[in-house]
Amino acid sequence: MDFKDKVIIITGASVGIGEATALKLAAYSAKLVLVARNEEKLKQVASKIEKCKGIKPLIVKADLEKDEDVKKIVEKTIECFGKIDVLINNAGAGMIAGLKDGILPYEKMMRLNIRCPYFLTSLVSPYLIKSKGNVVNISSVASTKAVINLMPYCISKAALDMFTKCAAKELAMHGVRVNSVNPGPTVSEFHDRLGLGAKETEKLMKERAEESPLKKIAKAEEVADLIMYLASDMACSITGSVYVIDNGFLLP
Ligand SMILES: NC(=O)c1ccc[n+]([C@@H]2O[C@H](COP(=O)([O-])OP(=O)(O)OC[C@H]3O[C@@H](n4cnc5c(N)ncnc54)[C@H](OP(=O)(O)O)[C@@H]3O)[C@@H](O)[C@H]2O)c1
């Protein structure tokens, strides 16, 4: 795998799967653009990256729910590196909610998990067309499995999968690939951020591991390996594909 001189934007690079992906790509000499809201955490990731191959990443503090911030990501990347080769739409979050909670959770999940990747991809695509680059969207097994109390999240990730397929078809004529990685339960801050509390989160992760045929949950680094493969030229014949990495969680 070779990412030397490849300019790669990773959203949600401050922790979890995004951080793990950034660190792996840094080992292959990529020029990284790290996006998230927590600047302190981005700086910590950037410092680990710089130690790896001496290549300084660009930090863009951005709230993807704000259109001005999304535009800033592209402007700053072009200002700093002059091109874009890969976009990894990783930032996302879940929310415990269902019909009983009204429309706001739906709007929040759709905004963050599908509107943001849609908008950012639309802004980045002219540059990807120039570079014959690619996009990797991070979806979820929840895109095909209805999960109780996660309805808006499930719907948003199902929409993201269709976005992957439509964007792949639209951009294929320009030599740009678009794929998706759909993790099952994975170690990150995702479950803490659902607001369950430490004990509940630990219990949930144990249950999820027990429900998975391989009896474990994935590490963020394992998901990162799959993302990296799809982003690389090794995957040059793959577009519009949705890759599940879930320890067999979805098996009937
Ligand atoms: N972990 C799992 O079990 C699992 C399973 C299936 C799918 N996924 C998907 O994997 C992706 C990565 O999640 P993760 O597991 O690594 O979770 P995580 O550890 O909670 O990381 C989420 C990342 O998204 C960023 N983010 C959230 N809202 C943002 C916003 N409004 N603007 C900018 N950045 C924002 C966070 O950064 P800041 O807080 O610094 O902004 C953080 O870097 C998500 O799309 C998630 O849906 C995770």
Side-chain angles (χ1 to χ4, degrees):
M1 242 178 290
D2 186 13
F3 288 101
K4 195 169 180 318
D5 293 326
K6 298 283 184 195
V7 177
I8 304 182
I9 300 175
I10 308 175
T11 67
S14 56
V15 289
I17 294 169
E19 176 184 8
T21 306
L23 295 176
K24 292 230 171 210
L25 286 164
Y28 288 92
S29 305
K31 291 178 174 168
L32 297 168
V33 182
L34 310 176
V35 179
R37 293 164 302 181
N38 188 325
E39 200 170 15
E40 269 322 297
K41 285 199 172 165
L42 287 177
K43 281 182 184 163
Q44 287 166 18
V45 178
S47 127
K48 290 185 213 166
I49 286 172
E50 227 178 316
K51 277 183 199 137
C52 184
K53 295 271 180 181
I55 303 169
K56 196 177 160 70
L58 172 67
I59 288 177
V60 184
K61 175 181 156 64
D63 181 346
L64 289 162
E65 293 189 51
K66 296 182 182 156
D67 286 356
E68 286 315 305
D69 283 14
V70 175
K71 289 180 196 160
K72 189 174 76 179
I73 297 165
V74 183
E75 284 161 13
K76 291 205 161 194
T77 302
I78 294 304
E79 206 177 283
C80 179
F81 294 122
K83 63 166 188 156
I84 303 170
D85 295 289
V86 179
L87 169 63
I88 301 176
N89 283 312
N90 165 74
M95 199 175 192
I96 295 175
L99 290 173
K100 64 185 182 326
D101 303 300
I103 199 64
L104 290 182
Y106 171 86
E107 285 175 353
K108 164 87 186 161
M109 288 291 91
M110 294 302 275
R111 187 167 185 91
L112 178 62
N113 293 332
I114 174 64
R115 188 184 183 278
C116 294
Y118 189 113
F119 185 37
L120 183 56
T121 306
S122 76
L123 296 178
V124 168
S125 57
Y127 299 98
L128 295 179
I129 289 169
K130 274 191 206 155
S131 64
K132 305 270 177 265
N134 73 84
V135 179
V136 184
N137 295 317
I138 314 309
S139 179
S140 169
V141 290
S143 70
T144 53
K145 185 178 172 70
V147 185
I148 191 107
N149 286 328
L150 279 183
M151 188 199 286
Y153 179 71
C154 294
I155 296 170
S156 69
K157 292 296 191 180
L160 185 61
D161 286 0
M162 184 48 78
F163 170 66
T164 293
K165 292 172 196 172
C166 289
K169 215 158 193 184
E170 182 174 328
L171 294 174
M173 68 182 83
H174 303 291
V176 175
R177 301 181 297 107
V178 185
N179 291 293
S180 175
V181 167
N182 294 33
T186 303
V187 181
S188 73
E189 290 192 7
F190 180 88
H191 295 90
D192 303 337
R193 291 180 187 219
L194 289 173
L196 293 172
K199 267 198 176 158
E200 246 335 275
T201 303
E202 201 187 321
K203 186 168 157 259
L204 180 74
M205 294 315 265
K206 270 193 187 149
E207 281 169 13
R208 291 288 187 255
E210 207 41 51
E211 286 166 41
S212 302
L214 290 179
K215 301 291 173 210
K216 65 184 185 67
I217 56 172
K219 292 179 187 153
E221 291 75 13
E222 294 163 352
V223 179
D225 281 334
L226 181 54
I227 296 170
M228 203 164 58
Y229 173 74
L230 288 171
S232 78
D233 289 343
M234 289 174 79
C236 63
S237 295
I238 303 175
T239 199
S241 290
V242 168
Y243 281 82
V244 168
I245 168 164
D246 71 343
N247 289 294
F249 186 71
L250 283 183
L251 287 172

